[in-house]
Amino acid sequence: MESSPTQEFEYLFKLLMIGDSGVGKSSLLLCFTSDSFEDLSPTIGVDFKVKYLTMEGKKLKLAIWDTAGQERFRTLTSSYYRGAQGIIMAYDVTRRETFTNLSEIWAKEIDLYSTNPECVKMLVGNKVDKESDRVVTKKEGIDFARECGCLFTECSAKTRANVQQCFEELVLKILDTPSLLAEGSKGNKKNIFKDKPSQSDATSSCC
Amino acid sequence: MEAHASSFVSKARTAFHSAAAKAERVLMDFKIDLDSDKQFHDEFGRQRGDESARSEKFLDELKHIKWRPPHIGTKQDWQDRINNMRKGRKEVEVTDKVGDVSMASAPFYDENMYILNVKNDLDAKASEAIPSVEGLTAATKYPIPPSSVLKQLAIAIESGRQTNSMKDFVASSRGSSPAREKAGLSLSSVKALVLREKEDKLTSEFSSDEKVVYLINSLFDQEGEFLKRNSDPEETFISSLPRDIHGAPLESLVVKLAEVIGNFKTLREMSLFWSRVVDELRKHWSEEKHLPGIPPDDIPDLKSCLLYQQFQVINCCISRKKRHIIATESLDTMVMEANSNALESANYTGKIPTGPLLYARLRTGELVLRLGADCPSGDLTLLETGEPAYSPVTQEGPLLTEDLIKETEEFVLRTGSVGAGCSQLLSDMQAFKAANPGCILEDFVRWYSPPDWSESEGSTEDRDSSYGGESMSTRGQLSLRMQKEGNLWRELWETSKPVPAVKQAPLYDEDLAVEDILDAFEDIQPSELFGQLFVSLLSFGFAIAETMLYGDLDLSKLFNDCKEYIVTTCQSDRFNEKIDELVQMYETVEKMLLNPDEALKMKHMEESTMTTDESKRRFSTGEPKHRFKRLSHIFGGKDKLLTRPVCKNEVNDEETQIRHSFSSFFDSKSSLFSKKPPKPGNLYPAEQPLSLESDRTVI
């Protein structure tokens, strides 16, 4: 759990990572935020990391939510789609099932739970370092991305190939979308009706 | 007690003189001539209910108060007056000098007559103010709800913006208005003193009003026929508008509620009706009755308004409580039956129990009852015992509305806690253990997270060395990441005890969740409530119109411009500044449906204007601006027509102030001289200025 010191920022964007269990979502996130690789234990429910960076002269704070891919956790993770400006759909190039499930399961989850019609979606094929085990070609990925209307990239969390570019490309696309940029602006008050603070349910921590 | 009465009398007296002085000034302004006693009595005798007639009667009465010479009656007259004063003293504890009797008695007598007339008029008016089920049902003959309903909701949004909660709104909608504040604080405070005591009584009277009860029953009727519009069931076209602008699904309880509340004539009654609705919601919850017009078991739809989501949670929690009761009874029955079988088993050694009970045999040969087993988990068998693996009944996840999601997310971001996932995983592990005696972590992972288990063929040598003599066709292993040291999954597994889901501590407390929602309803901010109802009704009308205008090319074009404007406005953060324009859009669509020819004429006029501005159009950038420009032309045309209504509003405003002064004067007098405590009917004069203000905003 990364407790980052408070830094100045002008824009706060929410990114969400989804995909089957074991494709490497958590490793990708760790690689991007800490530039390291680790074979992490399966995510339990939801995890998050915060990353500060400056792009196009703007100071950004990224809240990146990492979700567990197991079916039983889907109800819990579905609430984190709300308001996300960017969504990363991850699959494992060495397991075709994880690619098939993107259209069978995860694209439908986005339709159901995403409340941001203009959110930027990015298709990410991970584990390209295992080229000899590859079963999903790059062309298949490109075709699916075009069909879905989302960005596409392949990378490897283990070798750190292309991971940084992957997230940066996503953020650049968000910065190019006026409505998303306005949402992320610090002074934005998106809600039509003023929120009334009600009693919050404190979740008991087992960690 | 007596001190309080004294203070009350003192304030009342001050208010009386202040009001009298103001009335006198008004009288001078009107420069009304003297009138004879006979003519006054004649006019009074006619008991005309007209507003202006009432004003004139009041003026005539004032003349008599001022100019009638002191009257010295007979001894009997004096005796009667003194007796009246004694009776009056018991009720209001007013001490008056004899010298004032001659002046006080005449207004006293006339005031009673006037109060009676005013009360009768106001009772009739109040009766008309509450919408009737029949009236609302008749209105469904029109294709979409009348724009007057939407206007009333818009008025409520504006009025409620400065108020923090609905309770304050009920009080303030009666107690404070711009016109009344001008009359002075002392007058307001006296009125508040008198009226506050009657607030609860009037509220309960409103709730038990026959029409209100009928409205509530119709609104919550399970058949759902109330306010149903004749939409073609064959129509497969479903408008995305309600979700685009965060409204509510068509024909849902929220839309019907919006239509009902928008038909009330006063803001106060709108608020009181909402309180009545909340009471009904509490009743449904306690009786475990689903709300009509809301799905019985769906998780909250985040693309609908928050009110709709909260209604969904209530219904879903009702379903869950029912399921929980059934599951608990089922488990208890199973355990009792198992215990009973155990006794029988003791009597007949070696007999294998029969029936629906599910058992698992351990490696020791011992039979253990499966608790909370749902259904076999495919072909899975437990690794150590070979028994079939069962999927357990598991607890259901939390029902989060958009506000709770936001809070949860902020909480997690602030504290770093990801406990929700761990809680659920632990709960599932315990349920799995209860349903699968003799299981190990590997069994759970194979069920819960299949990618973390890999099957592999063991060699003969491995088989012999690992499991002496036992034959196993396959042997697999956990994924590397699952085998890691310090893996939280294993730690949770070793912590978990076999407890079926229905016996576990709840991950999500339905009672707590619904109680929070109902409390939030009681204290909801007025602009938040009326805003959601406004958007829901707006989207409802537009969605129906969209279906009806689908085939009409000319009107479709104009309609789509209006629709696009509405979507853009509702999605922006300038919604609150654009409510009037949204109402005008709705009126345009209403006209398209009710009077298509006139709408087309307007369209043609607008098009000719466009032709005139053709040169300007060349420099416009992008289609959206172009469309909005055309829309502004429509509004521009309407703005010119607003001049006359504004003048009318000014006149109405003056009348409002005058009437306010008069009604305040009468209220004060009635509290001072009435033999009986002020009746609820006397509270209605306070509503008049408010109603007039509502009328003032009608364009």
Side-chain angles (χ1 to χ4, degrees):
Chain A
M1 208 61 54
E2 183 187 20
S3 64
S4 55
T6 305
Q7 295 185 30
E8 288 186 0
F9 62 91
E10 306 166 65
Y11 297 89
L12 166 62
F13 294 125
K14 175 181 180 181
L15 309 183
L16 179 72
M17 304 185 70
I18 61 176
D20 275 9
S21 174
V23 299
K25 301 185 292 297
S26 299
S27 296
L28 280 170
L29 181 52
L30 185 67
C31 179
F32 176 59
T33 56
S34 308
D35 198 32
S36 63
F37 173 78
E38 200 175 336
D39 198 5
L40 298 163
S41 299
T43 304
I44 300 177
V46 178
D47 195 1
F48 79 95
K49 293 198 187 307
V50 170
K51 174 81 168 183
Y52 293 88
L53 70 162
T54 302
M55 296 186 74
E56 294 189 339
K58 299 184 174 72
K59 294 181 178 178
L60 313 177
K61 174 180 180 180
L62 307 178
I64 310 171
W65 295 90
D66 181 23
T67 63
Q70 287 86 356
E71 180 176 358
R72 272 293 297 156
F73 285 123
R74 227 168 270 165
T75 298
L76 191 117
T77 60
S78 64
S79 55
Y80 289 88
Y81 288 70
R82 194 192 88 96
Q85 283 95 24
I87 297 182
I88 289 178
M89 306 163 70
Y91 68 98
D92 179 352
V93 297
T94 69
R95 292 162 53 206
R96 174 161 291 277
E97 183 185 6
T98 67
F99 181 72
T100 306
N101 282 340
L102 288 178
S103 58
E104 292 290 318
I105 296 174
W106 299 108
K108 290 172 182 170
E109 295 278 299
I110 293 177
D111 286 343
L112 267 177
Y113 302 120
S114 172
T115 59
N116 208 326
E118 295 196 42
C119 80
V120 180
K121 298 188 287 275
M122 176 170 243
L123 181 65
V124 175
N126 191 28
K127 306 193 186 184
V128 293
D129 53 289
K130 305 181 181 180
E131 190 62 35
S132 57
D133 294 323
R134 178 194 278 267
V135 295
V136 182
T137 67
K138 183 167 186 175
K139 183 179 188 305
E140 285 176 299
I142 293 176
D143 290 344
F144 181 73
R146 185 174 294 125
E147 178 185 329
C148 264
C150 56
L151 307 174
F152 172 75
T153 191
E154 288 187 332
C155 57
S156 164
K158 178 174 284 188
T159 65
R160 297 196 284 275
N162 223 24
V163 173
Q164 193 80 15
Q165 294 89 320
C166 162
F167 282 90
E168 288 179 359
E169 186 179 344
L170 178 63
V171 172
L172 277 174
K173 184 69 175 179
I174 292 174
L175 292 174
D176 281 348
T177 310
S179 67
L180 298 181
L181 191 64
E183 283 175 20
S185 175
K186 215 173 178 182
N188 178 54
K189 298 189 175 182
K190 185 186 176 186
N191 287 311
I192 296 178
F193 313 113
K194 198 167 79 176
D195 271 5
K196 186 182 189 309
S198 62
Q199 193 175 0
S200 65
D201 298 329
T203 52
S204 61
S205 175
C206 300
C207 303
Chain B
M1 187 62 178
E2 202 154 5
H4 179 73
S6 175
S7 172
F8 168 81
V9 170
S10 174
K11 288 182 178 178
R13 191 182 298 278
T14 303
F16 172 80
H17 291 304
S18 175
K22 289 187 173 64
E24 200 164 333
R25 255 182 266 121
V26 172
L27 184 63
M28 299 296 262
D29 291 341
F30 274 80
K31 300 179 180 178
I32 297 180
D33 296 329
L34 286 169
D35 203 349
S36 67
D37 286 3
K38 182 180 179 183
Q39 189 169 352
F40 166 77
H41 284 301
D42 285 346
E43 288 184 353
F44 195 81
R46 289 178 205 146
Q47 301 184 8
R48 287 183 295 180
D50 184 60
E51 199 75 25
S52 59
R54 250 184 282 167
S55 303
E56 287 196 359
K57 277 184 286 185
F58 173 65
L59 293 173
D60 291 338
E61 187 171 323
L62 270 186
K63 280 185 292 183
H64 282 278
I65 292 173
K66 186 172 183 180
W67 287 290
R68 186 161 63 185
H71 173 69
I72 304 177
T74 64
K75 185 175 182 180
Q76 183 60 39
D77 287 342
W78 276 104
Q79 194 65 38
D80 289 343
R81 285 170 186 161
I82 292 174
N83 287 336
N84 287 340
M85 291 310 301
R86 286 199 185 120
K87 292 178 183 176
R89 184 180 303 175
K90 291 182 180 178
E91 291 169 341
V92 302
E93 298 190 348
V94 175
T95 303
D96 253 334
K97 299 177 182 177
V98 172
D100 291 338
V101 167
S102 62
M103 183 170 184
S105 62
F108 177 78
Y109 168 80
D110 295 330
E111 179 70 11
N112 276 333
M113 289 291 293
Y114 185 81
I115 290 172
L116 182 63
N117 288 329
V118 170
K119 181 173 181 301
N120 289 338
D121 292 336
L122 290 173
D123 282 345
K125 199 168 187 179
S127 181
E128 293 165 6
I130 298 179
S132 66
V133 171
E134 293 81 4
L136 288 170
T137 304
T140 57
K141 292 173 183 174
Y142 296 103
I144 62 177
S147 57
S148 58
V149 178
L150 200 69
K151 283 177 190 169
Q152 184 70 359
L153 291 172
I155 292 167
I157 296 173
E158 295 288 339
S159 299
R161 196 162 289 159
Q162 288 100 26
T163 317
N164 283 325
S165 78
M166 192 63 76
K167 288 174 181 173
D168 296 341
F169 191 62
V170 172
S172 68
S173 67
R174 186 193 66 251
S176 71
S177 70
R180 183 166 298 123
E181 283 166 9
K182 295 172 184 174
L185 277 179
S186 59
L187 201 56
S188 299
S189 60
V190 171
K191 181 179 296 297
L193 272 174
V194 177
L195 299 183
R196 187 183 305 160
E197 298 166 5
K198 302 304 171 184
E199 179 183 356
D200 288 343
K201 186 181 178 187
L202 188 67
T203 300
S204 63
E205 284 198 0
F206 177 88
S207 290
S208 58
D209 183 286
E210 184 177 317
K211 283 183 175 177
V212 172
V213 172
Y214 194 17
L215 274 172
I216 291 285
N217 289 340
S218 301
L219 193 60
F220 285 89
D221 177 50
Q222 295 294 326
E223 297 300 318
E225 290 298 319
F226 181 54
L227 290 185
K228 199 166 191 177
R229 281 180 156 76
N230 298 323
S231 57
D232 189 356
E234 300 297 328
E235 183 62 54
T236 54
F237 174 75
I238 297 178
S239 174
S240 67
L241 183 65
R243 303 182 103 230
D244 289 341
I245 65 174
H246 225 59
L250 309 190
E251 309 288 359
S252 68
L253 179 60
V254 174
V255 170
K256 295 181 178 181
L257 181 62
E259 190 166 357
V260 171
I261 288 189
N263 268 279
F264 280 90
K265 294 297 180 275
T266 68
L267 301 180
R268 186 168 171 285
E269 281 161 347
M270 295 166 84
S271 308
L272 287 176
F273 189 79
W274 170 249
S275 297
R276 184 66 186 80
V277 166
V278 177
D279 289 344
E280 190 68 18
L281 294 173
R282 287 190 180 280
K283 187 174 150 203
H284 271 73
W285 168 246
S286 64
E287 297 176 1
E288 296 184 359
K289 246 174 20 176
H290 287 110
L291 309 179
I294 303 287
D297 210 4
D298 281 2
I299 65 173
D301 175 11
L302 301 184
K303 292 191 171 76
S304 295
C305 62
L306 176 59
L307 185 61
Y308 182 79
Q309 295 173 39
Q310 287 164 322
F311 284 169
Q312 282 182 292
V313 169
I314 293 174
N315 265 5
C316 204
C317 287
I318 289 171
S319 295
R320 289 187 176 194
K321 276 170 77 77
K322 290 184 177 181
R323 276 201 293 278
H324 190 270
I325 289 170
I326 293 173
T328 302
E329 288 173 353
S330 174
L331 186 72
D332 291 342
T333 301
M334 178 184 296
V335 171
M336 272 191 295
E337 192 171 342
N339 291 336
S340 172
N341 285 358
L343 287 180
E344 293 177 356
S345 174
N347 294 334
Y348 305 94
T349 308
K351 179 180 179 180
I352 299 178
T354 59
L357 301 184
L358 289 174
Y359 288 89
R361 189 181 298 274
L362 303 182
R363 291 211 296 187
T364 61
E366 177 190 0
L367 287 177
V368 179
L369 182 65
R370 296 179 185 264
L371 298 179
D374 187 14
C375 60
S377 178
D379 296 332
L380 279 186
T381 56
L382 302 184
L383 291 173
E384 290 198 346
T385 66
E387 292 286 296
Y390 273 76
S391 295
V393 173
T394 55
Q395 287 203 53
E396 300 179 85
L399 297 165
L400 296 181
T401 50
E402 64 185 46
D403 52 335
L404 291 183
I405 286 176
K406 187 178 176 185
E407 284 174 26
T408 302
E409 197 171 301
E410 287 171 353
F411 174 76
V412 171
L413 278 171
R414 194 184 324 120
T415 67
S417 162
V418 292
C422 290
S423 299
Q424 179 177 323
L425 184 58
L426 181 64
S427 169
D428 290 347
M429 285 178 170
Q430 299 196 135
F432 188 85
K433 282 189 174 182
N436 299 279
C439 63
I440 57 180
L441 173 60
E442 282 79 356
D443 295 316
F444 178 80
V445 168
R446 291 159 66 214
W447 170 64
Y448 207 85
S449 185
D452 284 291
W453 175 260
S454 59
E455 305 278 354
S456 64
E457 287 287 336
S459 66
T460 304
E461 181 178 0
D462 287 341
R463 186 180 310 147
D464 291 342
S465 62
S466 300
Y467 310 92
E470 291 193 42
S471 63
M472 292 282 288
S473 59
T474 61
R475 173 59 181 168
Q477 63 181 11
L478 292 174
S479 63
L480 288 178
R481 65 174 190 170
M482 192 66 83
Q483 296 181 42
K484 275 166 58 75
E485 199 71 29
N487 176 16
L488 191 54
W489 290 66
R490 181 169 293 282
E491 291 179 17
L492 286 173
W493 177 258
E494 286 163 3
T495 302
S496 60
K497 300 292 186 288
V499 181
V502 293
K503 296 298 184 181
Q504 296 173 6
L507 295 173
Y508 179 76
D509 191 322
E510 285 88 17
D511 292 305
L512 211 58
V514 173
E515 195 59 36
D516 277 352
I517 287 176
L518 294 173
D519 287 345
F521 281 169
E522 282 187 356
D523 223 22
I524 192 172
Q525 196 184 28
S527 61
E528 185 182 333
L529 170 67
F530 295 125
Q532 295 182 75
L533 297 179
F534 178 92
V535 172
S536 299
L537 198 65
L538 183 75
S539 63
F540 177 67
F542 264 75
I544 292 183
E546 188 167 16
T547 303
M548 298 183 68
L549 297 172
Y550 193 69
D552 192 318
L553 290 182
D554 284 335
L555 290 175
S556 277
K557 198 172 195 310
L558 179 55
F559 174 83
N560 283 325
D561 289 344
C562 294
K563 179 188 170 188
E564 185 167 344
Y565 181 85
I566 276 185
V567 172
T568 304
T569 302
C570 288
Q571 287 180 353
S572 76
D573 51 6
R574 301 184 57 206
F575 168 83
N576 285 314
E577 307 160 17
K578 301 282 189 176
I579 291 179
D580 286 342
E581 293 177 22
L582 294 173
V583 172
Q584 290 178 32
M585 286 294 182
Y586 191 89
E587 286 176 324
T588 301
V589 172
E590 188 181 42
K591 192 168 296 183
M592 285 186 218
L593 296 175
L594 300 181
N595 197 340
D597 293 340
E598 186 174 337
L600 281 176
K601 286 180 182 176
M602 181 189 300
K603 183 176 188 303
H604 291 324
M605 287 178 58
E606 177 257 338
E607 281 182 343
S608 63
T609 306
M610 287 299 304
T611 305
T612 305
D613 295 336
E614 186 173 359
S615 59
K616 294 183 182 177
R617 200 192 328 159
R618 280 184 209 148
F619 301 100
S620 69
T621 57
E623 186 69 10
K625 277 189 178 180
H626 169 71
R627 293 191 180 184
F628 293 155
K629 187 178 178 184
R630 294 171 55 192
L631 293 175
S632 70
H633 280 299
I634 299 178
F635 291 150
K638 289 216 167 189
D639 285 341
K640 295 171 185 174
L641 300 178
L642 294 182
T643 309
R644 200 149 30 93
V646 169
C647 295
K648 192 181 294 184
N649 287 343
E650 289 172 359
V651 173
N652 287 334
D653 197 16
E654 292 178 3
E655 293 178 9
T656 301
Q657 296 183 38
I658 296 168
R659 290 201 184 93
H660 165 262
S661 301
F662 294 168
S663 62
S664 301
F665 181 79
F666 275 117
D667 283 347
S668 303
K669 287 185 62 179
S670 69
S671 63
L672 188 59
F673 297 106
S674 172
K675 289 184 176 179
K676 303 175 183 177
K679 294 180 179 178
N682 293 328
L683 302 177
Y684 288 119
E687 296 299 318
Q688 287 191 72
L690 206 54
S691 302
L692 291 172
E693 285 171 13
S694 303
D695 293 338
R696 184 161 26 118
T697 59
V698 174
I699 298 175

